[in-house]
Amino acid sequence: QGQFPPASTFKVSSVAAAVRDGYGLNGIYPCPGSFNVGSRAFRNFEGQGHGPMNLHRALVVSCDTIFYKFAYEQWLRDGGTKPRANPKDPMVAMARDFGFGSRTGIDLPDESGGRIPDRDWKKDYWAATREANCKGAKRGYPEIAKTDPGRAAYLKAVANENCLEGHVWRAGDAANFSIGQGDVLVTPLQL
């Protein structure tokens, strides 16, 4: 029943998605310490780069930046924040093909299905949380501002962005997805 972000163990699905999307199985890919997803730097663990490597080595050393690059390029090909009709979303599709986001059907009660977020899930989540975010954007966080005004301002800005554009599947969503983070949840049995 437990659902958890699978983190780097999820990269097996992301490798398969990248290969099915046309990245060479035996290709050599750079593994820098960080990769810019739009204007934001996404980093490897401890910011360490590992040089050029194949996909097997990318799994062994858990090179996040290779996966960020794949996810970002795929997201751009699908149209970015203004997606084309029927975007491919290769990593989402592969994760579902692996069985993530669905119950396995094991003969045990109350099995959880996990969550493989996608553009539709993001819209539904936004619809469910928009009112609270808009309220936070308008009202602010006066109780937090008393002790930490910087944090209160940050929370207000995040609430405002989520109020107005929380339905948008962003590059960071795709990048986080690629390494089994963000809104991805799987069960131990699925994994």
Side-chain angles (χ1 to χ4, degrees):
Q1 294 176 355
Q3 301 177 91
F4 309 93
S8 291
T9 58
F10 193 71
K11 290 176 183 170
V12 172
S13 174
S14 296
V15 161
V19 171
R20 184 162 75 182
D21 195 46
Y23 292 90
L25 178 62
N26 297 311
I28 301 298
Y29 304 95
C31 178
S34 69
F35 177 79
N36 278 352
V37 175
S39 61
R40 180 175 165 220
F42 279 65
R43 295 179 180 12
N44 276 335
F45 179 68
E46 296 182 346
Q48 184 176 0
H50 299 281
M53 63 183 63
N54 62 24
L55 294 177
H56 175 264
R57 184 82 180 140
L59 290 172
V60 170
V61 301
S62 196
C63 178
D64 292 342
T65 54
I66 287 175
F67 296 95
Y68 295 148
K69 180 181 187 304
F70 291 162
Y72 184 55
E73 290 173 351
Q74 291 169 343
W75 178 82
L76 287 172
R77 280 195 299 272
D78 276 339
T81 58
K82 296 183 187 328
R84 63 187 178 124
N86 303 312
K88 287 174 49 178
D89 289 326
M91 292 199 181
V92 170
M94 182 60 73
R96 290 197 174 124
D97 287 350
F98 271 51
F100 293 116
S102 299
R103 295 177 179 164
T104 66
I106 191 168
D107 189 19
L108 292 172
D110 304 319
E111 179 185 9
S112 298
R115 177 175 60 218
I116 295 301
D118 61 9
R119 295 168 195 276
D120 289 334
W121 174 86
K122 188 92 187 256
K123 288 175 188 172
D124 291 344
Y125 184 76
W126 175 71
T129 59
R130 184 173 186 218
E131 185 177 330
N133 280 312
C134 292
K135 183 178 176 182
K138 184 176 182 182
R139 180 176 146 290
Y141 297 87
E143 60 283 347
I144 296 172
K146 291 176 188 174
T147 58
D148 192 343
R151 182 169 178 248
Y154 172 77
L155 291 173
K156 184 175 180 173
V158 168
N160 187 57
E161 181 178 330
N162 286 332
C163 171
L164 300 175
E165 298 178 343
H167 62 284
V168 177
W169 184 257
R170 298 189 177 285
D173 295 317
N176 284 328
F177 185 100
S178 75
I179 63 161
Q181 297 287 347
D183 296 307
V184 177
L185 295 175
V186 305
T187 68
L189 186 60
Q190 289 170 336
L191 197 55

